[in-house]
Amino acid sequence: MSAAGTGRPAPAPPRFDGPEVDDFTRPYWDAAARGTLLLRRCAACGRAHHYPREFCPHCWSERVLWEEARGRATLYTWSVVYRNDLPPFGSRVPYVAAVVDLEEGPRMMTEVLREAGEELCIGMDLWLDFRVEGGVMAVPVFRTAKR
């Protein structure tokens, strides 16, 4: 498709699914690009949390450190999305939006990739994977089958 009579390709629709990478979150996204999920663990209370924050959401301590997740989770809840008009989600439907309990303790919003026809059930084991977005950013997702 070309832009109205110019012979040039039409601009890509705006994307709404990418995070803003800053100095604080850069280690998280750099690790994701290497296939590793990072969590934050509080040195004061010992609890892990996700999404990355500069303070502990449990005790408010600022003594939090990066920690590599093992990549295992259990399915807490999910919803199959059949319609989403925001790019690039429309090309992915249907997809499974989910909340998982990471083995390290935190809950995480994510997407679950499954084999065709595979049924989901609360408490099922999931394994970490990554989807590359736009050739540059790896986004953590989970799979129902260990690869």
Side-chain angles (χ1 to χ4, degrees):
M1 177 160 64
S2 68
T6 66
R8 292 182 300 219
R15 303 251 336 225
F16 300 97
D17 62 326
E20 288 188 32
V21 178
D22 57 24
D23 288 341
F24 172 71
T25 61
R26 189 165 316 285
Y28 178 87
W29 295 111
D30 287 349
R34 296 187 307 272
T36 300
L37 175 64
L38 291 182
L39 305 175
R40 298 284 278 175
R41 184 166 302 273
C42 179
C45 73
R47 294 177 70 182
H49 61 272
H50 186 275
Y51 62 93
R53 285 163 269 195
E54 296 186 59
F55 62 90
C56 174
H58 307 291
C59 74
W60 302 101
S61 171
E62 293 180 359
R63 293 177 35 221
V64 289
L65 306 169
W66 291 107
E67 171 183 297
E68 188 174 316
R70 291 184 285 277
R72 291 184 45 120
T74 56
L75 185 59
Y76 177 75
T77 191
W78 80 94
S79 179
V80 179
V81 178
Y82 292 97
R83 182 181 172 124
N84 189 332
D85 295 330
L86 295 176
F89 300 109
S91 64
R92 292 186 196 150
V93 293
Y95 62 89
V96 178
V99 177
V100 301
D101 288 327
L102 299 173
E103 191 174 74
E104 291 79 9
R107 250 180 210 151
M108 176 180 173
M109 291 183 66
T110 187
E111 181 180 350
V112 172
L113 308 175
R114 60 188 170 148
E115 301 299 320
E118 184 176 21
E119 295 294 322
L120 299 176
C121 64
I122 291 173
M124 73 185 307
D125 290 334
L126 301 170
W127 286 268
L128 178 66
D129 201 350
F130 288 87
R131 181 181 56 242
V132 176
E133 291 291 330
V136 289
M137 179 167 288
V139 177
V141 297
F142 284 81
R143 288 195 177 276
T144 56
K146 190 172 184 180
R147 289 187 170 198

